[in-house]
Structures are given as C-alpha cells and as structure tokens.
Amino acid sequence: MTSQTAEVTPTTPEGTDLLTVGVEEEFLLVDPHTGAAVPAVDLVMEQVPPELRGQVEREFQTSQIEIGSPPGLELRSIRHSLGVLRAALADAAERAGVRLLAIGTGPVDGPVPPVVDKPRFDRMIERFRLLVPGPGNNGMHVHVGIPDPETGVQVLNHVRSWLPVLQAVTTNSPFARSEDTGYASWRSIEWEHWPSVAPTPFLESHEHYERLIRQLIASGVMLDEGMLYWYARLSAKYPTVELRIGDVCPSVDDAVLVAALVRALVATALTDIAEGRPAVNTDHHLLVAAHWRAAHDGLEGDGVDLANGELRPAWELLDRLVDRVRPALEEHGDLAEVTDLLGGLRRHGSGAARQRAVFARSGRLEDVVADVARQTRG
C-alpha cells in the first residue's frame, strides 16, 4: 500500500533498449501454531539483518511487512535479490516467534491487527474508517523504467486490457475467515473496498492523468497521490510505470515469471508507441468484469476475452499474452526462463489452486499455512 521501499524503482539505462525491473512484495505475519495474523512487525524488524534493512519496510497493518528488490536488467538478479530477502525475512520472523507467509490475505479467522502508527495512516483511518481489509492485504508491485511521463501514460493505455490476465496468474488468496471464499483472489475483493481502487482509465495525456489526481484528491476519495490505487500507474517519485494488480506470489519462481511478463508487456507497449500503433480503448465496464472474473476463477477457470467479451479458458488468454510479448522476451533474454516457469505453473497451478489442493488432502488450514510458508522461503 505504501510503495516506499528503498531502491525498488528502476530506470531505463542510457544507451540500451532493455528495461530494468524491480519488485515489491508484501507478506503476512502469522502465529506459527494457529496461522492467525499477529501484530508482530516491530518484533520482526528488530531481527532483520542491518545490511538488509534498507530493503525492508513496515506496511499498512502491523501484521504486514514489505521487501523491495533493487532494480536489475537480468532476471537472475531479481531472483537472487528476492531469494535473499525472503530467506532473511523468514529467519527474522522465526526469531521473533512468528511465521512469514507470501499470501494475498489471512486464511485463518482472528482479530484484525491494528494499523501501523503513522500520521498518514491515522488520517486514512479517520477518513475511511472500517475499510481496513481484514488481517492484511498483500500484493506484488512491479516497476519498469520508462523514458518520460507522457510516454508512460501511453504505456498505461496499452497495457490496461492485459492486466486481468496477469491478475489471474497471481491469484493466491482463496481462503479467508477460515473458509473457502469461492474466489481465487479474495484479496482483490477486499482491496476494491477502497474508493480509489480501479482499473486505470484510458488517458488522453499526462496532463489528463495529473488533472484526475487533483480532482480525486479534491473529492475526498484520496488523501494524496500515494492513494492512487489504479491497477497500473506512474510512480510519483521515479521514472517508472508500476503494475500493482496481483496478489503477492507464493514463490520466487512465480514472482520472477510475473516480473518478466510485466517487463515484456511494457516493452511491447513502447514498441507499439514508437511504431504508431494506437492502444485499444477497452470499455471500462467490460474491464471491470474481466478483473472480477480473474479474481473469481483465477488461472484454473475462465477469463473474459476483451476482444469480444466472451469467456475463454484463462490459460488460453495467458498463452495469447505470451505470444504477444514474445519478441520482447527474446530481446531481454527471458524467453527460455519464462517458458520453463510457465511449464511449472501449468503443472502446479496458481497459488490459489495449490492452497486448495493442500486443503483437499488434509482438511486443515494449518497445513495450508505450513505449505505457503515453505514456498515463501523457497
């Protein structure tokens, strides 16, 4: 929610057409015995190694903690950073007597932990009251460098119709309040309670983007630009676009796959812009429907084909996305790894499918929590 983790936001290096990418991940802190969320962020922060503290932040609730990878050109650098940070944070959580979960929201019922004591968060609670989303709402944000804000706005127009597909890939929160919600991403449903959460509108220009921000703040639905919770936006601090549609991924493999697809999607948009191909202005209400369907079905069900509004298997839509961005994957040297990671995703299923498979075998959410903790650490 805060998107302020140190050094996460990348820029495009001069003299190259390759794009840097950085990843933010939010995690849940839970009781190791019950799996319920616990307000332990201060205890865990005390246990984080000093050399990594610049890449670890408190989040909105005291049951959450966030990491940010340094930006990189190569997927292996993102993989290494996320692996090191996840392992260190899991160790820190254990020393603090809790467990770290890469999960969209808390699966086990329990008290909602309080919000972190910050003046900005206090103002949010005063303004929006009971919109605090359960025991912790944990997402993944991917930053990709862009040359300038005007181009960035055009990128947002080009990528918006593909975001439901990426949302389906990341679904990782089927359980809440100790039961199956019927959704693959319950985090998405909780998250939409905030009035500034929405698909990115089709934008005329950077001036239009900034005007909408001013108007939304004036309306009261946002305190500041940091509360612009569109599924894709420009960074307020850095020359990047930030795609923030997904649940936090259960494993590093999943996170690396999503980062690669996001970068390739942005690179493809930049190519289209340079070659004069216009963005498709997908109807807003159909886009809302596609995002709801992605949250409901995830990768194992159907998705909305935004070309005609019909339902298609979500995997078919994902394959179509991969074909669309294949040249960019090749240019960045990511195609072989993405192909391998997609094979693993097809075999093992989304995070939501994995959680449900564990629960189907044992009937115990404690086993689901243990399996997510194992994937989190890697």
Side-chain angles (χ1 to χ4, degrees):
M1 182 175 284
T2 58
S3 293
Q4 295 175 357
T5 309
E7 296 188 47
V8 68
T9 44
T11 59
T12 303
E14 293 184 6
T16 179
D17 292 329
L18 303 184
L19 304 178
T20 52
V21 60
V23 175
E24 296 169 338
E25 295 186 304
E26 299 161 352
F27 302 98
L28 188 69
L29 302 171
V30 302
D31 184 290
H33 304 293
T34 67
V38 289
V41 67
D42 288 339
L43 295 174
V44 176
M45 288 291 291
E46 291 173 0
Q47 298 297 326
V48 174
E51 65 273 15
L52 297 179
R53 288 178 184 170
Q55 294 170 259
V56 180
E57 288 279 352
R58 292 167 178 82
E59 239 296 323
F60 185 61
Q61 287 170 262
T62 52
S63 53
Q64 296 176 280
I65 196 163
E66 180 183 21
I67 63 172
S69 74
L73 279 173
E74 297 183 350
L75 289 186
R76 63 183 179 183
S77 67
I78 300 299
R79 177 182 294 280
H80 174 75
S81 296
L82 294 179
V84 168
L85 287 165
R86 280 179 174 230
L89 210 55
D91 287 342
E94 289 180 8
R95 288 193 293 270
V98 297
R99 180 176 271 175
L100 184 78
L101 297 186
I103 196 168
T105 193
V108 176
D109 198 18
V112 176
V115 170
V116 169
D117 185 15
K118 285 185 178 181
R120 180 173 180 267
F121 294 166
D122 291 341
R123 293 197 304 274
M124 290 172 68
I125 294 301
E126 181 180 2
R127 172 77 59 85
F128 301 103
R129 304 301 293 268
L130 293 180
L131 293 186
V132 177
N137 192 286
N138 305 300
M140 173 189 182
H141 308 154
V142 182
H143 291 260
V144 182
I146 52 170
D148 57 78
E150 199 66 56
T151 302
V153 165
Q154 295 183 63
V155 168
L156 297 179
N157 286 342
H158 278 263
V159 304
R160 63 197 288 269
S161 61
W162 290 106
L163 298 189
V165 180
L166 292 172
Q167 182 180 9
V169 173
T170 65
T171 49
N172 187 36
S173 51
F175 296 101
R177 305 186 186 97
S178 296
E179 62 180 281
D180 193 319
T181 64
Y183 286 80
S185 174
W186 185 247
R187 180 203 66 89
S188 298
I189 304 304
E190 287 187 326
W191 183 227
E192 289 171 0
H193 293 168
W194 291 93
S196 56
V197 174
T200 309
F202 199 85
L203 299 158
E204 299 168 3
S205 63
H206 185 236
E207 191 281 328
H208 180 206
Y209 181 91
E210 292 187 314
R211 183 171 73 250
L212 283 175
I213 291 174
R214 293 193 300 270
Q215 291 170 336
L216 289 171
I217 292 172
S219 76
V221 303
M222 291 164 37
L223 294 180
D224 50 41
E225 187 172 353
M227 283 193 69
L228 185 71
Y229 298 144
W230 292 344
Y231 299 151
R233 68 183 187 184
L234 303 182
S235 170
K237 290 187 175 183
Y238 304 96
T240 67
V241 291
E242 178 188 3
L243 273 64
R244 43 189 299 116
I245 185 55
D247 290 359
V248 63
C249 291
S251 73
V252 170
D253 274 354
D254 298 311
V256 169
L257 172 61
V258 173
L261 291 174
V262 168
R263 175 167 64 176
L265 184 59
V266 172
T268 301
L270 289 170
T271 298
D272 287 344
I273 292 163
E275 296 180 358
R277 285 189 287 272
V280 176
N281 188 356
T282 303
D283 182 85
H284 172 78
H285 295 286
L286 188 59
L287 200 55
V288 169
H291 280 293
W292 176 85
R293 192 79 196 201
H296 185 273
D297 283 26
L299 195 54
E300 284 66 39
D302 288 331
V304 177
D305 183 347
L306 290 172
N308 54 26
E310 297 179 359
L311 291 180
R312 294 280 187 273
W315 262 104
E316 180 181 321
L317 299 177
L318 177 55
D319 289 339
R320 191 182 300 175
L321 170 60
V322 173
D323 287 342
R324 181 74 180 88
V325 303
R326 187 178 302 274
L329 291 172
E330 291 176 337
E331 182 180 9
H332 285 83
D334 296 344
L335 182 58
E337 182 163 4
V338 165
T339 301
D340 182 61
L341 293 172
L342 283 168
L345 185 63
R346 197 180 291 272
R347 289 191 301 273
H348 303 304
S350 66
R354 290 172 227 170
Q355 289 186 45
R356 283 172 167 153
V358 171
F359 188 76
R361 289 194 297 268
S362 74
R364 289 166 39 89
L365 281 176
E366 295 91 338
D367 294 337
V368 173
V369 168
D371 189 67
V372 173
R374 176 190 59 79
Q375 293 182 72
T376 302
R377 179 185 286 277

